[in-house]
Amino acid sequence: MRRVEAVKISKAVTELVRKASLFLRKDVLSALSRAYAAEKNKQAKTILKAILDNAAYARQEKLAICQDTGLPVVFIQIGQDVAVRGDLKSAINKGIEEGYRKHYLRNSIVGDSLQRGRSGFLPCIIHTDIVKGNKIKLTILPKGFGCENKSQLKMFKPTANIEEVKEFIVKAVKDAGPDACPPYVIGVGIGGTADYAGIMAKKALLRKISSRNSKLEKDLLKRINKTGIGPMGLGGANTALAVHIQTHPTHIAGLPVSVNISCHALRSASVTL
Amino acid sequence: MKKINTPLDLNKIKSLKAGQEFLLSGTIYTARDQAHKRLVGAVKSGKKLPIELKNAVIYYCGPTNTPKGKVIGSCGPTTSSRMDEFTPLLLAKGLRVMIGKGARSEEVRQAIKKNKGVYFVTYAGCGALLAKHVKEAKVVAYADLGPEAILKLKVKDFPLIVAIDANGGNIYGQA
């Protein structure tokens, strides 16, 4: 069985924090550039330009793309033929803390959700998948809360029709309106259980933005962009850059649908060890 | 683009119209959720506030930690609507100018109109770019709140769009 030292995982996580927080994803940058080129609304175009300038300036000055450096969500895929030497969970958290400290990111996490109190960098949230092989894939998604606050879950009846589901997803975006930094990327999880639909919706944000989309995704994107919310909610043709849907089998009695919205600063980074 | 400076006097505020864009220079104070809760708590219990609300500009912002050699880290606006429940009281106590992102409640719009205030938005999700416009930053209250402490910022040509004006005009439309 292959062995990986926990310290190696810490170092990899620290590097992923830097990469995700200071350098906007290439696919997101490309999508924003396309939106900028296509946008006809003058004010929306100016805002999209500022968003692109912001990414360039962050990269140049080694500044966080956004002051909300997020709640760090870590996805780990562990091959069943690899063993970690040391404490995996501590190693991931240590890597997060080191990265946040080193790059002057924000300590946005309060230890006690009800009592609040002083904020720190930890803990991160870790989602684990066990997969075939002997590799470990680490992904970090620092999720800002301006957009996380706009998440929605609906447990539909199993007899619900697709139109109701579509309506719910579009309504979730309308409810977010200008607040969560459009243009958005919309993650949707359909099926599974309430919690699993939520994780799928978040994982959907990790998918590369491309032209390869399902008919349902394309249709939803069109409808969302027709709302005219636009960049900063001040109008325009670009309310969302993409809609990504993940599905999973579910129970005969239900149909969970979860929407997880990302702001235009959709940050994530991955590495395989 | 037109330039404006702090303090913004009443005549100046009244002349601003929703949709207009400006570059602001002068002094502004950061305050977000927990600072608002404390400010309102202080007002309600008759305690002295750590900052003078009259003529103050409040910016809904919690910056990152400050990188070595820089004045401030990334420092974009946070969602204004979370401050809605606190805003009418602060307006009644002399606050007139706010900067944030996103829409406000109808109650806040009415309070802005009544007290002749103004609500600006700035480029949302552009915290790195906005850091360029901050020339000085100093913690002046609630240091224990960390990123939610009240900072006094000196800004130069900070980009703003009037979102709600003193007549109740609203770029997000009426609720």
Side-chain angles (χ1 to χ4, degrees), chain A:
Chain A
M1 184 174 268
R2 184 175 169 241
R3 284 173 185 272
V4 172
E5 299 291 328
V7 62
K8 198 175 167 190
I9 290 171
S10 277
K11 282 185 182 153
V13 169
T14 300
E15 172 57 16
L16 291 180
V17 169
R18 183 185 78 94
K19 216 174 144 190
S21 307
L22 310 184
F23 306 94
L24 194 60
R25 263 166 53 172
K26 274 198 185 117
D27 61 317
V28 178
L29 266 177
S30 301
L32 284 165
S33 299
R34 285 194 299 273
Y36 171 68
E39 183 62 66
K40 293 200 171 64
N41 178 311
K42 202 173 146 238
Q43 194 167 37
K45 214 172 169 75
T46 307
I47 296 163
L48 287 166
K49 177 75 170 39
I51 292 169
L52 288 166
D53 288 350
N54 181 68
Y57 191 69
R59 173 180 288 265
Q60 179 198 314
E61 294 293 316
K62 308 277 180 290
L63 280 168
I65 295 159
C66 175
Q67 75 288 340
D68 186 352
T69 51
L71 190 157
V73 181
V74 176
F75 298 91
I76 178 164
Q77 287 181 357
I78 308 183
Q80 58 194 9
D81 300 323
V82 58
V84 176
R85 277 171 66 101
D87 185 332
L88 176 60
K89 212 167 167 181
S90 304
I92 293 172
N93 274 292
K94 209 176 149 198
I96 292 284
E97 183 167 29
E98 175 71 12
Y100 270 67
R101 209 177 282 288
K102 205 168 158 186
H103 300 292
Y104 304 97
L105 306 182
R106 198 173 73 183
N107 39 310
S108 309
I109 316 302
V110 284
D112 187 323
S113 294
L114 292 175
Q115 297 301 318
R116 314 306 292 185
R118 276 178 193 269
S119 61
F121 297 117
L122 297 176
C124 63
I125 285 176
I126 304 171
H127 295 296
T128 311
D129 274 333
I130 296 164
V131 296
K132 283 181 185 165
N134 65 358
K135 305 273 191 219
I136 294 176
K137 185 179 180 189
L138 291 160
T139 301
I140 171 171
L141 174 81
K143 189 61 162 57
F145 252 58
C147 54
E148 186 67 9
N149 278 336
K150 307 297 180 184
S151 308
Q152 293 200 23
L153 168 73
K154 186 164 172 138
M155 303 302 282
F156 282 92
K157 283 198 277 189
T159 50
N161 63 47
I162 184 82
E163 197 47 43
E164 292 171 68
V165 173
K166 284 189 197 174
E167 196 47 53
F168 167 68
I169 296 165
V170 175
K171 173 80 168 25
V173 177
K174 284 184 187 163
D175 288 349
D179 286 3
C181 293
Y184 301 130
V185 176
I186 314 298
V188 181
I190 301 178
T193 49
D195 54 332
Y196 199 70
I199 293 172
M200 284 195 291
K202 187 153 269 117
K203 276 189 181 169
L205 298 174
L206 299 173
R207 197 176 104 201
K208 194 174 159 190
I209 300 173
S210 75
S211 51
R212 283 195 299 275
N213 296 290
S214 70
K215 194 176 165 293
L216 179 59
E217 289 171 338
K218 283 183 196 161
D219 178 42
L220 281 166
L221 182 62
K222 217 169 164 182
R223 278 169 69 162
I224 287 165
N225 281 333
K226 266 194 189 151
T227 60
I229 294 167
M232 270 178 79
L234 299 178
N238 291 283
T239 300
L241 301 171
V243 177
H244 289 169
I245 301 174
Q246 274 204 17
T247 61
H248 194 273
T250 193
H251 193 276
I252 51 171
L255 171 52
V257 179
S258 175
V259 180
N260 198 254
I261 294 176
S262 173
C263 58
H264 57 73
L266 170 50
R267 293 152 286 173
S268 71
S270 294
V271 70
T272 301
L273 300 175

Side-chain angles (χ1 to χ4, degrees), chain B residues 109-130:
Chain B
R109 191 187 71 85
Q110 291 291 351
I112 289 170
K113 191 177 168 187
K114 186 179 166 198
N115 295 287
K116 298 294 159 210
V118 61
Y119 165 58
F120 293 105
V121 288
T122 186
Y123 294 134
C126 298
L129 202 61
L130 291 171

